[in-house]
Amino acid sequence: MKKLFIAVMFVLFGSQASAWVSKGFVPAEVDIFTVDIDDQANDGCWTNIGEVKRYAEDKLELAGFKVSREKFEGYEDKQHFLFGIVVIANRINEKCYGNIKLEIVKGIYDNKIAGMFVAREAGANFTGYENANRYTLELVGDFIKEVEDPQW
């Protein structure tokens, strides 16, 4: 029943995408990026995880950002940003249904208050795909194009 409910929700809400980034978000204002993957896909719904991570790292470097290829262990300095890629998916009747979330965030700590600053985010649902591989690469590419040429 739970899987049926999830499938119905994805069909009703289809492939929705949204994105934004500030014009002030430029390589000169960012010391370093780390790309972090959160794989919550099941049953082979996302199999090119390493390719997506390398693609995101390469695209950020081509856009002029410095990228750490080490595992994220915490923020190194004040202008250290994290590019998070989250894929949540399940297979139902041989097709995958899920959500892809992309975000650029930075941890902040000020006057004993901790929080997350979101510099950019985007997301999309997908329904009836063989897997999320190609769609994830497409979304990452579009996401970084917006980072390269922000419209806000």
Side-chain angles (χ1 to χ4, degrees):
M1 188 62 145
K2 182 179 174 183
K3 286 187 177 184
L4 178 61
F5 175 73
I6 292 169
V8 168
M9 293 304 291
F10 282 124
V11 169
L12 288 175
F13 295 105
S15 293
Q16 301 173 346
S18 61
W20 57 267
V21 68
S22 167
K23 284 189 177 190
F25 194 81
V26 295
E29 298 297 324
V30 177
D31 292 333
I32 192 163
F33 257 111
T34 301
V35 176
D36 188 57
I37 301 290
D38 185 358
D39 175 14
Q40 297 182 39
N42 299 310
D43 301 321
C45 284
W46 188 29
T47 61
N48 67 339
I49 299 160
E51 179 185 4
V52 169
K53 185 175 192 287
R54 284 187 308 277
Y55 179 68
E57 291 168 342
D58 291 348
K59 293 293 277 183
L60 286 167
E61 285 177 337
L62 289 171
F65 294 97
K66 182 180 175 191
V67 176
S68 169
R69 294 184 183 252
E70 303 297 319
K71 185 177 189 306
F72 181 71
E73 298 290 341
Y75 295 96
E76 295 177 13
D77 53 47
K78 197 170 189 172
Q79 293 302 89
H80 184 165
F81 284 82
L82 182 72
F83 179 7
I85 302 169
V86 181
V87 176
I88 303 167
N90 287 295
R91 189 172 297 279
I92 302 170
N93 297 327
E94 300 185 24
K95 295 294 181 184
C96 293
Y97 299 80
N99 177 269
I100 301 166
K101 180 179 179 184
L102 308 174
E103 62 183 359
I104 294 174
V105 298
K106 176 178 113 155
I108 56 172
Y109 187 78
D110 188 33
N111 292 329
K112 299 181 184 178
I113 299 171
M116 296 299 288
F117 169 74
V118 178
R120 174 164 174 31
E121 62 183 358
N125 296 328
F126 59 93
T127 61
Y129 282 48
E130 180 62 32
N131 58 49
N133 295 357
R134 186 174 293 171
Y135 194 39
T136 305
L137 286 170
E138 180 182 313
L139 286 176
V140 167
D142 291 345
F143 183 88
I144 294 175
K145 278 183 194 172
E146 176 73 16
V147 171
E148 291 176 299
D149 185 25
Q151 301 301 310
W152 296 90

